[in-house]
Amino acid sequence: MAERTPLLHYRLSTSVNESDRPVPLAGQAPEQRPGTPRQKPNQQRQPKKLSIFFGVVIPTLLSMFSVVVFLRVGFAVGHSGLYQAIAMFLVAYFIISMTVLSVCAISTNGALDAGGAYYMISRALGPEFGGSIGIMFFFANVCGCALYVLGLVEAIVATFGIPEDGTLPTSHFQVLPSGYWWSLLYGTAVALVCLLVCLVGAHIYAKATFIIFLVVMFVLGTIFVSFFTVGPRTITLPGSAFFNGSEFPTTGNFTGFKLDTLLFNLKADYNVDYTTGNMMTFATVFAVMFNGCTGIMAGSNMSGELTNPSYSIPRGTITAVIFTFIIYNLLSVLVACSCDRVLLQRDYSFLRDINIWNPFVTVGVYSSTLSAAMSNLIGGSRILYALAKDDLFGKVLAPAKKTSHSGNPWVSVLISWFLVQLVLFSGKLNTIASIVTIFFLLVYAAVDLACLALEWASAPNFRPTFRYFTWHTCVLGIVGCLVMMFLINAIYASASIAFMLLLLLVIHYLSPTSSWGYISQALIFHQVRKYLLMLDVRKDHVKFWRPQVLLMVSNPRSSVGLITFINDIKKSGLYVLDTLPSDPLQSQYDSWLSLVDHLNIKAFVNLTLSDTVRHGVQHLLFISGLGGMRPNTLVLGFYDDCLPKDRLIDPTTSNNYCMNSTDHMEELEKEPPMFHFASLRGTGDRQDYGDFGDGKALRSQEYVSIIADAMKMLKNVVLARYFNNFDRAQALSPPTPSQKRVYVDVWPVNLLRPDSCSYVDTCSLFLLQLACILNMVRAWRKARLRLFLCVEEGRSVRGSEAKLGQLLKDLRIKAQVPCALGPPGGATLAATRRGGKKSQTPDGNEQNNLGAVKEEENEEEYVNSFPSNATRLSDEYLSAVNKLIKEAAKPAPAVRFLYLPRPPADTRRYTTYLQQLELLTQDLGPTLLIHGVTPVITTDL
């Protein structure tokens, strides 16, 4: 027989033919999906009835033997010697044994369904890895089927074909015409035989493989007997005696068992391969030999046809691996003891020549090759069916879901056969033989990776009954498979990995979300828990401070602007959206998660129930976050009478309707179903931030109590006003074509205490830090900070301005420093922009800065000489301050940062306190009232 038979082994991948229904737990009977009609008795699926022997041992043995056991054992011993040959088998079986342990672990961790290796990988690593590996596994099986069909055709033509060169036949059996089209015809006929077997069903295939298994075992038996019964003989070697100018022997000797023959075959003697003309090395021989040792997934891929996969796969696979390892090594020793090196190197089919009856080996080669072709075809069809059933590729694979009454996916079989037929037109497939093997090795590495991820994730539900594995074996399996891939062909290995990554990205962005679970989430949880334990709050330092924001939102319909703005100001810190729903429905929580995705923000969501809003906020302040990742800043909407606007329906028309209008209700009905938030309140209720969706207005007393509680709990507090209609894109656009700058104004002084003018207290520095953080966000970098210096009219500006400028320099903050002036006593206030070294009153008279040094010396005494007068400020004063803020900021800023004083100690004055804040911020546009309680900024390196 000619030696052009491809060197690839075959793999088997079959899967159960189940209807689309949830995967049952191990040992649990599958249940019918609700809402689906029960099948009629004559349409019941065939029961799974393959045992360990028929379902696992036989497919794995045939897959691992293939034609290599008949044609390439002598090749390995002839070039590498007995020592290196046995070492190769040890290394190869060590690599595949690591993968076998992973396969056994995953297969005993739960119920297996259709898809075999694809099912294991996809359910462990997620749809991206599963789908990409599944597609590669499918193409590998299709190409492998075509390879073995062509190999069988070449073997048949070599034995029974008429020589193409016109020479006379050497045997009366050579009666078949030769040539490309004749070979294509023979290949089509073989493929049709495989198609008919696969169309009938997996159980007929199992019976066919059992017959082939008996034939292969019988042929192996005759080979072992022949070593002891056949006497020494001289065998004529195939091929030319001359190659590249060198003369080669034309005969080789079968010496029988001789010590001299064994000693001569112990060491390596790499030579030229007479079939390809390539010089053999350890790597090339190892690659060919390793090709015959794989096929370990054949049994596990029969999981859909097995009676008890969790019981059968470990025992059957390990049995087959041990058996083949013994046969390969025993055959190597027998060959080394009885055949001289010339025979081993120059005749790969010498086992046929030394057999007690030569056709036995030919029958074995034919049988194993036909079995390989059938197993690849049925395996590819089952993988395609599993991919189609999982809907990873949408409607593209939808026809492959169709099955017969017995559950056989006949459409998938036809599609696989059609692709095999297309590959057959290429004629010679030796050029892609390596990449097919690499595809299979990549699948094995993915199985090891899946087992490694499950082990590292320490998931409680990963408790396989097979425990003879560790993460070390998984890593060794991955490394071994990758090394073999690059050893076989580095270019093909790199290309296959790149192809897998491309498929992974395509599936990640195009496939629907699966319900299988994602191992990445388990791994992330495991790592986050470890790092949270390492995040020691006692080691916090002010120079690494960042805002950890807790935003209280009643109804996001009116809070979209604030939610997106706070997302900008968090500076990679923790961002938690908290709400107090009327009912903790899962649909409401899902709506919040959908909103986070819809707004493209990075935030967590917390929901709680409480008898009062104040208690609910206290709960959330206590429970939000974990370890060192706890919120340090509470953000609340302002307590006023502004009517909220729904920004989740249509932002372009949301300002044009009221809550009780018919048009609004019609728009509400058009809202996407992912949002299930309550309707907004109507006119007359207080601000929706304090309403919290319970239909009752929040009392001002309770609102201020929430602020006081947060400060007592050492939380920074931010009150946001006029963010109902905030649009970041609009805010960052200059209001007029002539204005090229967008400004952010900062007033770091307590305007409710005209007796105080300190810019270096904790709260003032907190304002500066938040404004600087906002300015560091990419979208806000074009905005310019304006830090307003408030000085009483008649007092010196130079000293305060110099101190503030030095402070900004020390803090590395770039900001303009305009000056706002007002008369002492605060009856009326006016403001002008700072120009040069002098300031002007509203009358335009220049003020001299004499006596500045003396006033700076008395500044601290001046600041501390007045008691707090927050409770006796007149409305006229607050209106004047409000007017000052408006007139000092020309042009108007995108957002303002104001100093938020502490609530008064006397709770009876809470209402007055809130009224003062309302007058202070009246019609100022988007404004943040901020009170900081912790140091957040430093000048140290």
Side-chain angles (χ1 to χ4, degrees), residues 68 179 399 490 527 797 852:
V68 176
Q527 292 302 110
V797 179

Side-chain angles (χ1 to χ4, degrees), residues 834-910:
R834 173 68 176 155
K837 296 183 179 180
K838 298 180 180 180
S839 61
Q840 293 183 345
T841 64
D843 297 332
N845 299 323
E846 294 185 357
Q847 299 295 324
N848 205 336
N849 293 325
L850 299 177
V853 177
K854 181 179 180 181
E855 292 188 359
E856 287 177 18
E857 293 176 353
N858 299 328
E859 181 178 331
E860 185 174 352
E861 180 182 356
Y862 171 80
V863 169
N864 297 323
S865 62
F866 289 86
S868 175
N869 60 354
T871 60
R872 52 186 175 85
L873 293 177
S874 64
D875 292 348
E876 291 79 5
Y877 169 79
L878 294 171
S879 298
V881 173
N882 179 264
K883 182 179 179 181
L884 168 68
I885 295 174
K886 293 178 184 177
E887 294 181 352
K890 300 294 184 181
V895 64
R896 287 181 172 89
F897 290 73
L898 300 184
Y899 192 114
L900 174 66
R902 279 182 174 271
D906 189 354
T907 59
R908 294 173 298 178
R909 300 189 180 276
Y910 278 1

Side-chain angles (χ1 to χ4, degrees), residues 922-933:
Q922 188 71 35
D923 298 326
L924 290 184
T927 302
L928 295 179
L929 287 162
I930 302 172
H931 186 88
V933 297

